[in-house]
Amino acid sequence: MSRTNVYFNHDGGVDDLVSLFMLLQMEQVHLTGVSVIPADGYLEPATDASRKIIDRFGQNKGPVEVAKSNSRGKNPFPAAWRLHSFYVDALPVLNESGRMEAPLSSLPAHQHLIEKVRGAEGKTLLLFTGPLTDLARALDEAPDIEAKIEKLVWMGGTFEKGNVEEPEHDGTAEWNVFWDPEAAYRVWQSGITIDLVALESTSKVPLTPAVRNRWAAERCYEGVDFLGNCYAGCPPLVYSETNSTYYLWDVLTTASVGRPDIVKKKTVHCSVIAEGPSQGRTVEQAEGRPVNLVYDTDPEAFFTYMTDLAKLAA
Ligand code: AGV
Ligand code: CA
């Protein structure tokens, strides 16, 4: 079977780390590298958790190297969200062996990406589930890599209501764009094909009590127990909407790589606003660049795929 080269850059949230776990179970994926940017998580625990997940659940993938980003964003994420990276890193199942063996690269993330894309046989699919800072820097430093990028699959942006509630902002942006609006703006100027999972793309995959119960019922599978434990760190507040309901934002994005049939995409022309009170907003515009926006998904197929992958993890 021919396998797709995938390079994964994430920002340490619960669904970022669960995404790594899922990628490691996908037979058709050749994971060429992982890097961690300290946006919706802290750098040390998010990096350590990544290495431990590779050690514990990635036996079939060969050595996968992890690199730390030295990028810093313009608009920091709330600390309460970033703390989730510590909860995952502390899970007993990741600390049973007392060792961390997945190699840590000495390169910063953006240079690690350049090295892995240049070194790969054929093209590489880039999967990003946090801000685009490392990709923007990589493109500035090594424009040649663009020709070797198959496409970018990104969780970011919104064409409806944003999820940023911060002083001096009008609420129109999604957080992964808001953290570094200029980086998204830079990537939009490139010729790279972009598959976009925007906020509203995930509206059919909220983390409901029923989903948690489904994982609880099958916790005899170690991988399913891992899903439940990871998401136990996200408080199930069901009475208010924005910023308390968790969606499977990054996991749907990752699942769309392994199972493209669970999402429907359409072309949207759009631009990124880089400055001012709407900074980080993605806006539809006839003269904007095309992206393939996920506008519909099959939630039952998605949750079944996710749980089935988790059952494969031993
Ligand atoms: O905006 C969605 C992005 C995704 O990449 N992140 C979470 C996912 O990793 C930010 C975010 C929005 N609301 C949140 C977030 C919340 N309530 N808790 C933690 N992170
Ligand atoms: Ca994320």
Side-chain angles (χ1 to χ4, degrees):
M1 181 176 55
S2 82
R3 297 195 304 162
T4 310
N5 295 323
V6 175
Y7 184 91
F8 182 37
N9 180 284
H10 74 75
D11 70 339
V14 166
D15 58 338
D16 296 84
L17 292 165
V18 168
S19 293
L20 171 60
F21 165 77
M22 308 253 301
L23 267 184
L24 292 167
Q25 316 312 321
M26 293 180 189
E27 219 187 331
Q28 72 277 37
V29 165
H30 173 219
L31 190 56
T32 61
V34 172
S35 49
V36 182
I37 185 167
D40 198 8
Y42 289 95
L43 189 61
E44 297 298 326
T47 304
D48 288 357
S50 300
R51 296 174 68 196
K52 293 172 189 174
I53 289 169
I54 292 167
D55 287 349
R56 182 65 188 76
F57 295 113
Q59 307 92 328
N60 308 324
K61 290 287 178 205
V64 180
E65 227 172 63
V66 178
K68 291 180 186 172
S69 174
N70 59 8
S71 299
R72 298 295 178 263
K74 201 168 163 196
N75 301 299
F77 272 90
W81 297 355
R82 301 183 67 196
L83 283 170
H84 292 151
S85 49
F86 281 98
Y87 307 157
V88 177
D89 186 42
L91 288 175
V93 69
L94 297 183
N95 292 283
E96 192 178 1
S97 79
R99 292 188 300 272
M100 262 197 297
E101 282 167 358
L104 181 67
S105 171
S106 57
L107 295 174
H110 65 291
Q111 287 174 354
H112 187 249
L113 184 158
I114 295 170
E115 180 190 85
K116 296 301 174 193
V117 169
R118 281 183 178 157
E121 197 178 308
K123 292 193 177 186
T124 299
L125 182 155
L126 301 181
L127 173 64
F128 272 62
T129 57
L132 292 179
T133 318
D134 290 321
L135 177 54
R137 292 175 73 193
L139 291 171
D140 281 343
E141 233 175 273
D144 59 283
I145 61 171
E146 199 174 310
K148 286 201 71 187
I149 294 170
E150 183 189 322
K151 65 176 171 182
L152 166 67
V153 179
W154 186 39
M155 193 285 129
T158 175
F159 300 102
E160 296 176 12
K161 190 179 177 303
N163 62 359
V164 171
E165 291 175 7
E166 291 284 299
E168 301 195 306
H169 195 268
D170 65 10
T172 53
E174 183 279 326
W175 263 102
N176 287 342
V177 196
F178 180 62
W179 196 77
D180 188 352
E182 283 150 21
Y185 184 89
R186 167 69 183 88
V187 172
W188 251 239
Q189 308 315 304
S190 75
I192 299 171
T193 300
I194 301 177
D195 284 3
L196 197 66
V197 175
L199 269 189
E200 56 274 17
S201 312
T202 65
S203 62
K204 288 190 177 172
V205 292
L207 178 61
T208 59
V211 171
R212 294 178 191 262
N213 290 342
R214 182 170 170 177
W215 294 332
E218 297 197 287
R219 65 177 286 277
C220 56
Y221 294 92
E222 205 157 0
V224 180
D225 194 40
F226 178 70
L227 296 178
N229 282 324
C230 283
Y231 279 104
C234 309
L237 312 175
V238 289
Y239 298 110
S240 69
E241 177 54 27
T242 317
N243 295 347
S244 60
T245 303
Y246 236 76
Y247 290 82
L248 278 86
W249 303 284
D250 299 351
V251 183
L252 178 66
T253 311
T254 304
S256 77
V257 171
R259 277 280 303 277
D261 61 294
I262 61 176
V263 296
K264 288 188 190 141
K265 295 175 229 166
K266 64 177 181 190
T267 307
V268 169
H269 290 261
C270 58
S271 332
V272 175
I273 298 178
E275 284 174 353
S278 306
Q279 63 184 271
R281 179 179 181 184
T282 40
V283 48
E284 277 197 68
Q285 258 172 0
E287 65 280 16
R289 69 110 77 207
V291 302
N292 307 313
L293 174 70
V294 169
Y295 70 92
D296 197 16
T297 175
D298 177 346
E300 185 46 38
F302 164 73
F303 282 112
T304 301
Y305 178 52
M306 184 180 180
T307 312
D308 285 350
L309 276 182
K311 288 180 185 172
L312 294 175

